[in-house]
Amino acid sequence: MAHQQAQFMAAGVSSPFNSAAQPMAGGYGQPPNNMQVMNHYDRSKSSQPSSAFPPQYNNYYQQQPGGDARSRPASRGDEEARRRRSRSNHRSSSRQRDYRQDTPQDAYNYNTPMGGVSNNVTPPSPTPEPSQSAQSQLDAAQRRPAYLLHRDLVIGKGSYGQVCIASRGEAEGHSGGKSGKRKKFACKCVMLRNDPKYIAKLQEEVNVLRELRGHDNVIRLYDVFCVDNELFIITELGRGGDLFHLLTTHPKHGVTEAYAAKTVAEMLSAVAFLHSRKICHRDLKLENWVLESGKDVWSPLKLIDFGLSTHFTPGHRLSRVVGSSYYVAPEVLKKSYTEACDLWSLGVIVYMLLSGAPPFYGKNDEAIKASIVHGEYQFPHELFRDVSDDAMAFVSCLLSYSIEYRYTAEQALTHPWLKANCDPEQLQRAKDGARGVGALNDVYSGDVAMQM
Ligand SMILES: Nc1ncnc2c1ncn2[C@@H]1O[C@H](COP(=O)(O)OP(=O)(O)OP(=O)(O)O)[C@@H](O)[C@H]1O
């Protein structure tokens, strides 16, 4: 994001970070050279350092059982000891583990012929046929229906496969507009398994993405198809990379309140919209928000990764323990929860945006879970010195242990902290988005959309 930084500074836009900016890595808003993209986005979880966060995140304070959430500023000695403990803890703790024990029960559809463009996830045939064409022999760039898949341009890796760049242009039968440029997309590539539960999970992910099309802060689905037992989910490309990357590649902690408020308004807009459609995301975390533009860190945020999302019935409790360390709500760990778990996760995200550290932590997943279930957190002075009382009050409304008192996304959008720190037009757009105003106007236009 060196060029992002340069861009907003040159344009006279205020820096989103709390401290003097140093060049940051990441982003691919400029025509990327392959190596840049690989360097910044080939973030294989297996190759992640064992620390949950890079060193600049390791200033977590020690939990003080029984302490007031807004309690005493830590003394310098305390803080040093905590930092030391925290640093050694996080060297050995695992990164963002998912508690994936989830098996959505929706029916799935086996009807789509291989290679077709479809909304349906097609399971592999029990005895896979040998590779059918020269297509499968192309390695670095493979031609798929209407897209060129750039297998070498990996922008992310998750537990289900990898996400790479796909593009299309005149060669694939699409006009490139006036500029004649190829349009780029993100393509999630997932090997299919002959496992109905697994297929049903993917089907739910695709269904949810399709249902949410048109909201400004939800990544837009363009296409889904299967080729040779591999599923390809083509979505809009978040060119600015994800928020985890943005925060952790910056040398200092936290973002300004103005940037946090803009970010949170957009997140709440998306989450309110999801909940109005009776969809619970269940995996909100910094990594699952990407910036639309690689040139402007103030560009809109987009929610990605609906792999753990589920439809819910109001009044019915969900029970499967799913989510990611640090962000998972206590009631999820207790196996009885509602869509309010998403608001808890947003509370964790805002806390982290403002301070650069998570509110609940521990030396391993078990310790993190125990800290979350215990439910007590603080706003340590050294991390929140420059943060307003209103901002902390806002975080408290989301990190309410009791879901009765926890704000809904709609309620949170009316909080005075957002009003004081957000551009009014932006806040209004977020509120409109929460009610699905933009989404209702999302006409399926254009050839790609027609394929859906
Ligand atoms: N549309 C996109 N635009 C930009 N980056 C993306 C996009 N989709 C995914 N990514 C990147 O790829 C990473 C992995 O994608 P995703 O979360 O969808 O995969 P996953 O297998 O479901 O991962 P996880 O195991 O974390 O749930 C993301 O954290 C993000 O950095």
Side-chain angles (χ1 to χ4, degrees), residues 264 267-269 271-272 275 284 329 331 338-348 350 377 389-419 431:
V264 172
M267 290 177 172
L268 288 170
S269 181
V271 171
H275 290 181
L284 295 179
E331 68 271 16
T338 66
E339 73 277 15
C341 66
D342 283 343
L343 277 308
W344 174 279
S345 305
L346 278 192
V348 174
V350 192
Y377 64 96
D389 284 353
D390 261 3
M392 289 186 272
F394 178 79
V395 172
S396 305
C397 293
L398 298 178
L399 288 183
S400 158
Y401 201 84
S402 155
I403 62 171
E404 252 174 78
Y405 296 112
R406 194 177 303 160
Y407 272 30
T408 64
E410 291 259 18
Q411 285 170 334
L413 275 168
T414 63
H415 194 279
W417 176 65
L418 284 183
K419 203 169 175 199
K431 287 177 181 172

Side-chain angles (χ1 to χ4, degrees), residues 29-319:
Q30 301 295 340
N33 93 28
N34 297 1
M35 278 318 292
Q36 275 175 336
V37 174
M38 291 295 289
N39 286 343
H40 296 148
Y41 288 93
D42 190 2
R43 299 191 306 134
S44 161
K45 290 194 173 170
S46 57
S47 66
Q48 287 286 330
S50 61
S51 166
F53 296 98
Q56 63 265 38
Y57 263 70
N58 286 342
N59 59 347
Y60 312 158
Y61 52 95
Q62 197 67 27
Q63 186 82 22
Q64 295 295 308
D68 172 9
R70 307 281 311 274
S71 68
R72 68 179 175 95
S75 74
R76 249 178 122 177
D78 281 356
E79 218 39 70
E80 239 340 280
R82 285 172 193 177
R83 278 161 180 261
R84 271 200 302 275
R85 268 199 300 272
S86 177
R87 267 195 287 269
S88 61
N89 286 349
H90 282 278
R91 239 172 262 135
S92 59
S93 82
S94 67
R95 180 181 179 252
Q96 313 295 352
R97 204 196 76 189
D98 285 354
Y99 303 104
R100 291 177 191 265
Q101 301 160 10
D102 183 39
T103 51
Q105 285 142 12
D106 273 15
Y108 46 90
N109 193 325
Y110 278 178
N111 293 335
T112 313
M114 300 288 276
V117 176
S118 163
N119 284 326
N120 298 321
V121 178
T122 311
S125 53
T127 48
E129 289 176 17
S131 178
Q132 287 167 352
S133 67
Q135 209 176 33
S136 57
Q137 291 164 14
L138 300 174
D139 48 7
Q142 293 186 333
R143 221 161 263 282
R144 298 295 183 198
Y147 296 91
L148 192 66
L149 178 61
H150 304 268
R151 292 246 191 220
D152 55 337
L153 298 184
V154 177
I155 54 176
K157 283 187 180 174
S159 40
Y160 289 96
Q162 65 182 26
V163 181
C164 34
I165 303 261
S167 67
R168 69 163 205 234
E170 274 176 24
E172 290 77 30
H174 297 281
S175 88
K178 277 187 196 149
S179 65
K181 276 190 185 163
R182 296 183 64 79
K183 187 167 164 57
K184 293 196 188 75
F185 302 86
C187 178
K188 188 164 174 171
C189 314
V190 185
M191 283 315 295
L192 295 178
R193 287 190 230 132
N194 206 3
D195 170 359
K197 284 180 180 170
Y198 180 73
I199 299 294
K201 194 206 89 65
L202 291 171
Q203 179 76 67
E204 177 75 339
E205 179 170 355
V206 171
N207 287 345
V208 164
L209 271 168
R210 195 182 46 196
E211 226 175 295
L212 297 174
R213 280 166 55 113
H215 191 283
D216 281 351
N217 304 113
V218 174
I219 209 77
R220 187 187 173 103
L221 175 70
Y222 281 94
D223 258 323
V224 185
F225 47 86
C226 297
V227 180
D228 294 341
N229 290 343
E230 195 171 5
L231 177 72
F232 299 91
I233 304 175
I234 306 270
T235 61
E236 173 187 4
L237 176 62
R239 289 170 177 263
D242 66 58
L243 274 190
F244 181 85
H245 188 254
L246 181 81
L247 211 56
T248 55
T249 49
H250 192 262
K252 296 278 175 177
H253 315 291
V255 299
T256 61
E257 287 194 35
Y259 190 75
K262 169 261 177 205
T263 301
V264 172
E266 291 179 337
M267 290 177 172
L268 288 170
S269 181
V271 171
F273 181 61
L274 257 75
H275 290 181
S276 73
R277 302 281 158 124
K278 308 288 173 277
I279 293 165
C280 181
H281 187 278
R282 300 198 292 185
D283 199 17
L284 295 179
K285 55 184 176 183
L286 288 168
E287 293 90 323
N288 284 342
W289 295 95
V290 293
L291 285 163
E292 180 184 273
S293 165
K295 295 178 181 167
D296 178 9
V297 282
W298 292 85
S299 65
L301 270 183
K302 308 276 173 173
L303 177 58
I304 61 166
D305 191 3
F306 293 84
L308 293 178
S309 300
T310 189
H311 285 85
F312 64 86
T313 310
H316 282 76
R317 295 227 156 202
L318 298 162
S319 60

